[in-house]
Amino acid sequence: MPPRRPTQRDIAERAGVSTATVSYVLSGRRGGAKPPPPETRERVLRAVAETGYQLDQAGRSLRRQRTDVVALMYPAPSSPWSDRLAEELQVAAADRGLAVVALPVITGASTAAILRILRQRYIDGAVLLHDCPLDGAELAALAAQGRSLVVFDDDLEPDGFDVVRQNRLRACRAAIERLITAGHRRIAFLSHADDHGDPLADVKLRSYTDGLAAHGIAQDPQLVRAVADSRPDAYAAVRDLLRLPDPPTALLSATDRAAIDGIWAARDLGVTVPDRLAVIGIGNIPEGLMISPPLTSVGAVALDFSDAVARLFERLDAEAALPGAELSAPWELITRASG
Amino acid sequence: MPPRRPTQRDIAERAGVSTATVSYVLSGRRGGAKPPPPETRERVLRAVAETGYQLDQAGRSLRRQRTDVVALMYPAPSSPWSDRLAEELQVAAADRGLAVVALPVITGASTAAILRILRQRYIDGAVLLHDCPLDGAELAALAAQGRSLVVFDDDLEPDGFDVVRQNRLRACRAAIERLITAGHRRIAFLSHADDHGDPLADVKLRSYTDGLAAHGIAQDPQLVRAVADSRPDAYAAVRDLLRLPDPPTALLSATDRAAIDGIWAARDLGVTVPDRLAVIGIGNIPEGLMISPPLTSVGAVALDFSDAVARLFERLDAEAALPGAELSAPWELITRASG
DNA sequence: CTGAAAGCGCTTACAG
DNA sequence: CTGAAAGCGCTTACAG
């Protein structure tokens, strides 16, 4: 049995002061009044050092009605985007003495435990990336209970929480439009595996299907391959596509990674990009800039979430509840040499 | 101003029962005694539904002296390994009604806020991956205060917390040994950028340097390139290396990703792998299995953290404090065709 | 300047 | 079977 965790009462006894003084010394807070004098302060700090005292978050959080923790919720697995946002959030939070916890949401696994973190006042606020398992009513309820929320979503209306628009469908549609406008009719699509109802996967596939339909181009099932989540599968699929009797002249890929391996496959077959195969990816990852030819892609222009992060802290700092706002950080079609 | 969050007292008034009964109904717990009868139960649940009541974690955690939350701490950015561990942990935790929070540790940023999560009884326990910013004394202190900890580390002695050994240095040494034993003397190394004191980066570079030294091979600075964290840089560096007047005949890379791009570079120059360039990576990522030739690599044999996860829950469930144990999940040299 | 005391929202041993 | 009450560890308005 480990020795009982020391409490502020233990510190107070050891230092010969009241628990109020201990709290004042440790928090540095003191209404308007003067802080305790150095001599008292030192006695308290010595007692803390001697006992290894650590504040108990539960007591503090119960009394202060705040946790000084914020969360970042995102669909697992993580991506360069969620990693980057975690970093920006953590740096900004550290300035204010707040901690950040990440909440990866695993597709298919139970979300009950994660939602508990949001609902049971475990955190003061959160940034939720696209496609998190909460609907508008739930978010509004959380906001009404005082949680500060900034939500990436293209459809939800703000309602006590803020919404960041990325207009992903529009940007993906611009990609397929570009290919069709350039004269392509045999356009292959590397899709996600469709075994789960991932909304972003839907957006991507829908933009392909809608784009073809809008121009009266019949969709050839042979040209749609669910290989976007596996680089080697993507390589093999594009190689096979290019060996068809009537091969595609353009390729749209649900991921940049698969698009890049598609370019490798084309190069290995002596098929030049973009002349004989135009390639466009989705996601705009840094790696796409480096391949030859550089990858045309759909995605956020910059790895910059500072607006969303700033808004979360505005909300946390606000005296009264802020109305929901719309922020904009649109995805764009970023044209490079590959398509 | 949002309406005050309802408390169990509000629910009790609405349902015409005591707060004790509310708590019994909501927790399902009831010492040995019988649970409240269905009629009472229903009145309580109706009041909960009407008010949108949510439990307050701070009150509960203060009283019960547990948070029902566990953490996973890992160096940012995330990797397939940390993602996988997060998933295993979350699935196992969900079975017990525990939530999981991820704590990415950003190199260079302040770790104070993250350490607060561990120290201030914000969580019941945690799995810490390699190279987290806590020393043995600190970990022992946390363990003594009741935190359940399972720590991936090759050097620390267990001390109230458990340690998972990966023997990374030994496994990396086996890779360089293999190349030297096969007769290679011109061995290139793709290293991490050395602008931060990442201990794993040290382990990798050390195994290269030590391996050469052990066989009396002089190290050629020309053959060490800090490109392991950038695929395009790796590609370019290997291309340049192979064009040297006296090119390397073998390549050890601090990352599998860079090793894979090294293989692409060799292929594009008509240099066959492994005949004219033997290639070994570190990390054993799934992608390495798919390239041709498949990548020889150093890393964990399987994406399986069940032992570590199981041990964390053993510790959480234990009545008395468990002594620290050593678990083993060694990295291995996984020999495939590339080197 | 310091301390006694109330109270944050729960849970649970205990009395009825 | 149910409720009154104590108490978890903090913070802070208030009295001295």
Side-chain angles (χ1 to χ4, degrees), chain A residues 49-70:
Chain A
E50 285 167 6
T51 56
Y53 169 79
Q54 295 282 357
L55 198 81
D56 185 316
Q57 159 66 20
R60 174 195 178 91
S61 159
L62 181 57
R63 174 62 218 238
R64 300 206 73 203
Q65 293 293 90
R66 52 183 298 172
T67 63
D68 290 331
V69 178
V70 296

Side-chain angles (χ1 to χ4, degrees), chain A residues 56 68 78 102 121-122 232 290, chain B residues 56 78 102 116 121-122 232 290:
Chain A
D56 185 316
D68 290 331
S78 54
R121 218 178 60 74
Y122 201 84
M290 315 293 187
Chain B
D56 186 315
S78 54
R116 197 159 61 73
R121 218 177 60 74
Y122 209 87
M290 315 294 188

Side-chain angles (χ1 to χ4, degrees), chain A residues 1-3 5-6 51-62 65 67-69 74 77-79 83 86-88 90-91 94 97-106 109-110 113-114 116-117 119-123 138 143-147 230-232 235 261 264-265 267-268 287 290-291 319-321, chain B residues 1-3 5-6 51-62 65 67-69 74 77-79 82-83 86-88 90-91 94 97-106 109-110 113-114 116-117 119-123 138 143-147 230-232 235 261 264 267-268 287 290-291 319-321:
Chain A
M1 207 55 197
R5 245 176 97 91
T51 56
Y53 169 79
Q54 295 282 357
L55 198 81
D56 185 316
Q57 159 66 20
R60 174 195 178 91
S61 159
L62 181 57
Q65 293 293 90
T67 63
D68 290 331
V69 178
Y74 58 90
S78 54
S79 69
D83 281 345
E87 182 175 337
E88 283 194 37
Q90 200 170 115
V91 168
L98 306 185
V100 176
V101 299
L103 301 175
V105 178
I106 289 152
S110 162
I114 292 183
R116 196 158 63 73
I117 300 274
R119 289 180 183 140
Q120 300 189 352
R121 218 178 60 74
Y122 201 84
I123 53 163
E138 181 100 50
Q145 293 200 348
R147 222 68 72 271
S230 159
R231 301 186 74 128
Y235 181 95
D261 285 286
W264 284 116
R267 283 177 52 169
D268 286 351
E287 195 185 336
M290 315 293 187
I291 195 175
E319 296 292 317
Chain B
M1 208 53 198
R5 244 176 98 91
T51 55
Y53 169 79
Q54 296 281 0
L55 198 81
D56 186 315
Q57 158 67 19
R60 174 196 179 91
S61 157
L62 181 57
Q65 292 292 90
T67 62
D68 289 331
V69 178
Y74 56 92
S78 54
S79 69
S82 61
D83 281 345
E87 183 175 336
E88 283 194 37
Q90 201 169 115
V91 168
L98 306 185
V100 176
V101 299
L103 302 175
V105 178
I106 289 152
S110 162
I114 292 184
R116 197 159 61 73
I117 300 273
R119 288 179 184 144
Q120 300 189 351
R121 218 177 60 74
Y122 209 87
I123 54 163
E138 181 100 50
Q145 293 200 348
R147 222 69 72 265
S230 159
R231 301 186 73 129
Y235 181 95
D261 284 286
W264 284 116
R267 283 176 53 168
D268 285 351
E287 197 185 334
M290 315 294 188
I291 196 176
E319 295 294 317

Side-chain angles (χ1 to χ4, degrees), chain A residues 169-199:
Chain A
L169 183 59
R170 200 208 43 163
C172 291
R173 274 299 300 274
I176 188 83
E177 284 296 327
R178 175 175 168 87
L179 294 172
I180 295 172
T181 305
H184 294 286
R185 289 301 175 267
R186 301 275 298 158
I187 303 174
F189 182 64
L190 307 186
S191 75
H192 292 288
D194 51 8
D195 50 358
H196 50 64
D198 172 9

